[in-house]
């Protein structure tokens, strides 16, 4: 059991000897392409803490890449899963219905709100949700073209990978990619390719879609545009609200399905149940996964009823999608977020992180930008604040050095020069400050 309240390193080096022994076995057994962001081997986890097989305790600022919004191994989740496992594990919804699937569907349709009725389908992973959202949009519109944003990440299956940016490591050597897909500019204000500032720019980057539909593509051929409200792997790029408002209007005017990918940003992560709610937009389709079920494989596609009903029986779905275990876990996750006001805790986390990072920024030349919402914050490292040249080496070194002192960070960004903060929403203020102290100390060492 983890009894500590913060990090504790007991080995002479990190990773410890037992973790390294497992890592050597891993190299002999597991495919090289399945990466590890660190070499520690986790034995157990609780809330925002991880314990490796060497007995070291780490503060987890990755949360399984945004999966553990309610914290690792929550007792209520465990009890709900155990109770369900004694009754029904997997009959396959396509063979025989069970209520948990439908109850969760009702809950998600209500949570996502909107001026129209919604319907839901379940799959296993975020990439599967994206694939199904595209299938549904194409079926409904009878069109084939799909648009996505620069710096996007939507998954590793073929359509999802095609829609993703950052060629290495996600796309290099895996082509040819899916046809009839196109990229449009993202609202990356810190690195605006037009050298303008918001709001004076009038989100000129969003206007590019309008220009594209007049000069290069026909709206008669475009089925959907898919966007992340805050771009995850791309570097927590957080466009201004007008960017998405304008994109949605262009989509609505041209019969293009507007899909919002909430896979990393959903379930209280940004201070609202879903990040798109910050932007006063109303997606036609929403994709969900990651923190939906506290680590059990589950994803969802939620959309306007008439769109979701476009495919006929058997045309969407999958054997394991919406398993009873995952559905009861998801229902408990939603209950806890609402009951414990974890959306408000996300805003508290944001305030602490941004205050600490801003203080660091004033004392070092290496912090170029701080951005994000709620407990989805990132810091972009540069070699010089004027040139904004990305500093991936510094970012890598900071992550490695902080791990040695008991804090697990992960990177992001198309230049790999950001640390992204995705702690559980249940992390304590003490743990946040401890981690920021470690980061600050190592950053100042780098300065010298």
């Amino acid at each position: 059991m983890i009894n500590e309240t913060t990090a504790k390193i007991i080995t002479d080096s990190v990773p410890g000897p037992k973790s390294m022994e497992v890592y050597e076995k891993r190299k002999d057994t597991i495919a090289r392409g399945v990466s590890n962001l660190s070499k520690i081997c986790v034995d157990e986890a609780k809330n925002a803490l991880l314990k490796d097989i060497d007995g070291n305790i780490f503060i987890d600022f990755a949360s399984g890449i945004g999966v553990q919004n309610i914290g690792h191994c929550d007792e209520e989740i465990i009890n709900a899963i155990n109770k369900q496992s004694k009754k029904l594990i997997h009959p396959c919804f396509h063979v025989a219905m069970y209520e948990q699937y439908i109850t969760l569907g009702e809950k998600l349709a209500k949570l996502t709100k909107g001026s129209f009725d919604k319907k839901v389908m379940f799959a296993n992973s975020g990439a599967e949700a994206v694939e199904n959202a595209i299938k549904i949009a194409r079926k409904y519109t009878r069109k084939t073209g799909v648009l996505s944003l620069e710096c996007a990440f939507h998954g590793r299956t073929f359509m999802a990978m095609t829609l993703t940016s950052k060629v290495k490591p996600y796309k290099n050597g895996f082509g040819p990619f899916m046809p009839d897909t196109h990229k449009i500019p993202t609202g990356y204000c810190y690195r605006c390719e037009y050298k303008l500032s918001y709001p004076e720019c009038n989100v000129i980057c969003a206007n590019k879609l309008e220009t594209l539909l007049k000069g290069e593509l026909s709206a008669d051929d475009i089925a959907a545009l898919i966007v992340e409200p805050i771009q995850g792997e791309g570097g927590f790029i957080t466009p201004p609200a007008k960017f998405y408002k304008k994109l949605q209007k262009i989509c609505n005017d041209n019969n293009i399905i507007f899909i919002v990918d909430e896979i990393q940003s959903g379930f209280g992560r940004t201070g609202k149940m879903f990040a798109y709610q910050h932007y006063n937009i109303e997606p036609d389709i929403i994709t969900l996964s990651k923190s939906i079920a506290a680590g059990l494989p589950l994803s969802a596609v939620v959309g306007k009823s008439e769109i979701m009903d476009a495919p006929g029986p058997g045309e969407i779905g999958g054997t394991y999608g919406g398993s009873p275990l995952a559905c009861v876990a998801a229902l408990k996750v939603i209950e806890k977020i609402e009951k414990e006001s974890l959306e408000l805790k996300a805003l508290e986390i944001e305030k602490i992180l941004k205050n600490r990072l801003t203080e660091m920024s004033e004392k070092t030349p290496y912090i170029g930008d701080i951005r994000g919402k709620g407990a989805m914050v990132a810091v972009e490292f540069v070699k010089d604040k004027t040139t904004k040249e990305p500093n991936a080496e510094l970012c890598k070194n900071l992550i490695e050095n902080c791990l040695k002192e008991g804090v697990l960070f992960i990177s992001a960004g198309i230049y790999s020069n950001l640390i992204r903060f995705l702690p559980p929403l249940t992390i304590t203020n003490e743990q946040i400050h401890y981690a920021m102290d470690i980061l600050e100390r190592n950053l100042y060492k780098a300065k010298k």
Side-chain angles (χ1 to χ4, degrees), residues 224-238:
L225 165 65
I226 184 167
V227 305
E228 299 161 273
I230 298 176
Q231 292 185 296
E233 300 289 326
F236 284 22
I237 297 168
T238 311

Side-chain angles (χ1 to χ4, degrees), residues 151 188 231-238 371 378 380 412-414 418:
C151 303
Y188 196 170
Q231 292 185 296
E233 300 289 326
F236 284 22
I237 297 168
T238 311
R371 56 180 178 263
E380 180 162 357
I414 58 171
L418 290 96

Side-chain angles (χ1 to χ4, degrees), residues 37 57 104 142 151 163 182 226 228 247 285 291 391 420:
L37 297 178
I57 306 291
L104 179 58
R142 305 287 178 179
C151 303
L163 300 174
H182 313 273
I226 184 167
E228 299 161 273
L247 288 184
I285 294 176
S291 257
N391 199 336
R420 52 176 154 170

Side-chain angles (χ1 to χ4, degrees), residues 292-309:
I292 189 173
L296 270 67
L298 181 66
S299 64
V301 182
V302 184
K304 189 181 292 186
S305 293
E306 63 179 283
I307 298 174
M308 295 296 292
D309 277 342

Side-chain angles (χ1 to χ4, degrees), residues 89-134:
I89 292 179
H90 181 69
C92 183
F93 189 78
H94 300 305
V95 175
M97 296 182 296
Y98 41 90
E99 284 189 294
Q100 296 87 346
Y101 191 111
I102 298 165
T103 302
L104 179 58
E106 290 175 331
K107 185 67 176 176
L108 290 176
K110 182 179 179 181
L111 272 181
T112 50
K113 302 176 182 177
S115 59
F116 42 77
D117 292 335
K118 294 187 176 72
K119 288 191 176 181
V120 182
M121 71 151 291
F122 294 109
N124 301 290
S125 69
E128 282 185 67
V130 169
E131 297 279 347
N132 278 282
I134 300 301

